[in-house]
Amino acid sequence: MQDLRRVFEYSTQDYLEKYKLIQLFSIPFVIAFFIPILAAAPTYLAFGGIFLRTGSLPDLSGFDIGITILGYAISVFLISDTIVNLNIITKSKRTMTNIKSEIMNALATYGLRIFAINTAVVIILFILQILTYELPGTQIIYPLISLAVAYILFFIAPAIVIDDSGIMEGLVKSATMAIKKPIYIGVWILLAFVLFSIVKLIGDFVLGSFSGYFVLLVNALLVLPFLTVLQTHMYMEKYPLAR
């Protein structure tokens, strides 16, 4: 428990000290989450996230599908770049690296690697969702598969950014850390659920029908950046000198 306490202390201090910088680099989060809404895909807002209505896909034209793919590709790219920059900001606190020089080189290295992984995951999960759509028990099978993939890839971003790992090496490091420290992931998920729930309740109580957009905005600018910082500090606990 002492290591978790230390992680939360580092994360909170880091988040508050670099709040303005973190917010600046979190703006693409907002843009990324709103792009799918503007695309032709049958998306819907729920719990501050954007989801795809699989059953409505046959109604889309070829042009609609093309625009949707482009929109999601841009969205995934922006999310990947934002995650990289937030990891670099967090990394600089505990490893004394230069933020400016790191971010200048990040897009061509870490950003493309994480974008490639995120894109592959989105495509694979989408194909699985289509293939299992009408199968009995798909309400259980697909979420379990998604959960397993998310668990193994939980530390992929910090593994790539902090350790300057390639894609395959990053996958191995992420899986290894996930297996060794399941308590970290459990605590992170619990905290995420609590924070998202609080934001959702506030949005529903104050804004009513406009709650979805409020929740999306608050999650993108406040909640997700903190969770990303926390995730990175959790990963860096593997290094005694970074404590």
Side-chain angles (χ1 to χ4, degrees), residues 22 36 66 73 79 87 97-98 105 122 125 147 182 204 209-210 233 235:
I22 289 174
I79 291 174
N87 270 268
T97 55
N98 185 281
N105 300 320
V122 168
L125 290 180
L147 181 62
D204 289 345
S209 59
F210 294 97
H233 278 293
Y235 182 81

Side-chain angles (χ1 to χ4, degrees), residues 73-110:
I74 296 173
S75 179
V76 171
F77 178 81
L78 289 174
I79 291 174
S80 301
D81 186 48
T82 303
I83 290 174
V84 167
N85 290 334
L86 291 177
N87 270 268
I88 289 174
I89 292 172
T90 306
K91 174 183 177 180
S92 67
K93 174 71 175 181
R94 295 175 71 174
T95 61
M96 302 303 175
T97 55
N98 185 281
I99 296 180
K100 184 177 180 180
S101 61
E102 283 273 340
I103 288 179
M104 290 293 290
N105 300 320
L107 184 59
T109 52
Y110 313 133

Side-chain angles (χ1 to χ4, degrees), residues 11-25:
S11 301
T12 304
Q13 181 182 8
D14 203 11
Y15 184 80
L16 294 177
E17 285 182 358
K18 299 178 180 176
Y19 176 78
K20 292 183 179 179
L21 187 61
I22 289 174
Q23 296 310 298
L24 176 63
F25 283 105

Side-chain angles (χ1 to χ4, degrees), residues 95-150:
T95 61
M96 302 303 175
T97 55
N98 185 281
I99 296 180
K100 184 177 180 180
S101 61
E102 283 273 340
I103 288 179
M104 290 293 290
N105 300 320
L107 184 59
T109 52
Y110 313 133
L112 291 179
R113 295 173 197 171
I114 294 177
F115 172 70
I117 293 172
N118 287 340
T119 301
V121 170
V122 168
I123 293 174
I124 292 172
L125 290 180
F126 177 73
I127 292 174
L128 287 173
Q129 187 177 16
I130 296 297
L131 293 177
T132 61
Y133 181 64
E134 295 185 348
L135 292 179
T138 185
Q139 296 87 350
I140 298 176
I141 297 174
Y142 179 75
L144 286 177
I145 295 175
S146 301
L147 181 62
V149 172

